[in-house]
Amino acid sequence: MTSNGVALRPASDYLRYLPALYWEDGFLGRFLSIFEDILTPIQVAVNGLPQQFDPALSSSPMLELLAGWVGADRLDGLDEKKWRRLIKAGLVLHGSRGTKKAMRMALEIMTGHRPFITEYSSGLVLGEDASLGLNTSLDSGAPLRFHVAFDCEASDVDTALVHTMIQRYKPAHVTYTVWYRSEAQAAR
């Protein structure tokens, strides 16, 4: 649209919020386009705000902030997808730190394999976290000690990351052992 050889701004989309009487007013349309130019980037930012608080969708700078809020430090060797999952589970993990539930969840996020975690018990106990031939034994075990077993080879997971995660989520006074399928078979 031109007026006396001067290019005029197109009318604002904000005119549609006014009564039809004002839709044909060229000056009002151009005047509202000034506010539209200022408010559109703000509106886009506000509309995208919920995605910034979802670890699966947030930008990298926001992800760092979310990680700080839930205490999910980035570990060496941890890819971004697993880190995002760890941040998403961060509040649950923090609230249940020192429990079998938190340990299992963190290790499964980190390795992609479900760990079998058995605590001290006298005699043979088969339960949710026991796999016959993998982490079961007739030994009496030791108090304040738990066993983590993976039904995969040690080469399938980052063993250093496994130990780091166990150290982070185990009770401070407890010791542990980690077994993998090949080690469990060799011990038989």
Side-chain angles (χ1 to χ4, degrees):
M1 178 193 278
T2 61
S3 174
N4 297 334
V6 177
L8 299 177
R9 307 183 92 180
S12 170
D13 287 338
Y14 285 3
L15 280 174
R16 67 181 176 194
Y17 298 110
L18 297 177
L21 169 72
Y22 298 107
W23 289 1
E24 299 300 322
D25 188 348
F27 171 76
L28 186 58
R30 291 188 307 276
F31 182 71
L32 288 176
S33 70
I34 295 170
F35 294 100
E36 185 177 4
D37 289 346
I38 294 169
L39 295 175
T40 298
I42 295 170
Q43 187 176 8
V44 167
V46 168
N47 289 342
L49 201 56
Q51 287 82 9
Q52 290 299 320
F53 288 97
D54 183 354
L57 304 173
S58 67
S59 63
S60 292
M62 188 64 179
L63 193 62
E64 294 281 343
L65 181 65
L66 292 174
W69 286 351
V70 298
D73 300 328
R74 184 141 194 188
L75 303 169
D76 294 335
L78 186 62
D79 65 37
E80 186 163 322
K81 183 178 178 183
K82 290 178 182 176
W83 190 43
R84 287 178 182 272
R85 286 184 61 208
L86 186 66
I87 293 169
K88 191 166 192 145
L91 292 177
V92 173
L93 289 171
H94 183 73
S96 56
R97 184 168 282 192
T99 66
K100 195 162 49 166
K101 173 186 172 186
M103 179 85 58
R104 183 184 308 118
M105 184 185 296
L107 289 172
E108 192 167 353
I109 288 171
M110 295 299 105
T111 63
H113 298 279
R114 187 174 193 277
F116 297 100
I117 303 171
T118 52
E119 299 171 287
Y120 167 72
S121 63
S122 55
L124 177 66
V125 176
L126 288 178
E128 175 185 333
D129 273 341
S131 177
L132 194 58
L134 178 64
N135 67 338
T136 54
S137 128
L138 291 174
D139 294 339
S140 62
L144 302 179
R145 184 174 190 85
F146 66 93
H147 305 280
V148 178
F150 287 96
D151 195 14
C152 65
E153 302 297 326
S155 59
D156 293 343
V157 298
D158 184 345
T159 56
L161 193 58
V162 166
H163 287 284
T164 301
M165 292 309 291
I166 291 173
Q167 287 293 333
R168 180 175 285 182
Y169 289 101
K170 75 175 187 69
H173 62 284
V174 176
T175 60
Y176 68 94
T177 58
V178 179
W179 286 63
Y180 300 94
R181 182 185 318 132
S182 57
E183 295 169 359
Q185 291 169 348
R188 283 194 260 170

